[in-house]
Amino acid sequence: MQHNRQDRDPRERIFDFKKRTLVHFAVDTEAVYMTTRLAGAATHFLPFNRGSDGGAGNPPDPQGRTYRTAYLWEEVLQRTACLICSHGFSTCKLTSDHG
């Protein structure tokens, strides 16, 4: 998360809020965090974890791998899931030039 707060310039066009990037993830082997807007040191990340034993974090990987965040790559960031998410959270504003 430090990398996104310190090394990313939110004024760069690729990071334009509501124009280019839908979400930014910060991922390691244990946890996933997300934000929709980079704002330098003021960037606020929310946990994007599944929870484990009624608490925070992620459960052990069911296939016994040494990382708990495989679900992000294998389920969340798949084409169909991304399309469903973008459809559910995007809006379209139509304007008319006819007076």
Side-chain angles (χ1 to χ4, degrees):
M1 289 183 283
Q2 285 303 105
H3 171 72
N4 286 302
R5 288 185 180 126
Q6 293 177 350
D7 298 338
R8 301 279 188 207
D9 184 350
R11 296 170 297 184
E12 287 184 38
R13 190 172 188 161
I14 186 72
F15 302 125
D16 279 352
F17 182 59
K18 293 186 179 181
K19 294 181 182 170
R20 300 260 177 192
T21 306
L22 295 174
V23 65
H24 306 273
F25 288 104
V27 184
D28 66 14
T29 59
E30 299 293 315
V32 179
Y33 293 87
M34 58 82 62
T35 186
T36 57
R37 184 179 208 166
L38 293 181
T43 300
H44 182 71
F45 283 87
L46 298 171
F48 195 79
N49 300 304
R50 291 191 155 169
S52 182
D53 295 323
N58 288 304
D61 181 78
Q63 295 180 20
R65 296 172 288 196
T66 59
Y67 50 95
R68 297 172 179 233
T69 55
Y71 70 92
L72 180 68
W73 319 112
E74 295 172 351
E75 297 171 30
V76 177
L77 296 179
Q78 292 299 309
R79 181 181 302 172
T80 303
C82 288
L83 289 172
I84 291 169
C85 286
S86 66
H87 175 73
F89 293 100
S90 62
T91 59
C92 180
K93 182 178 178 182
L94 300 175
T95 59
S96 174
D97 291 339
H98 305 287

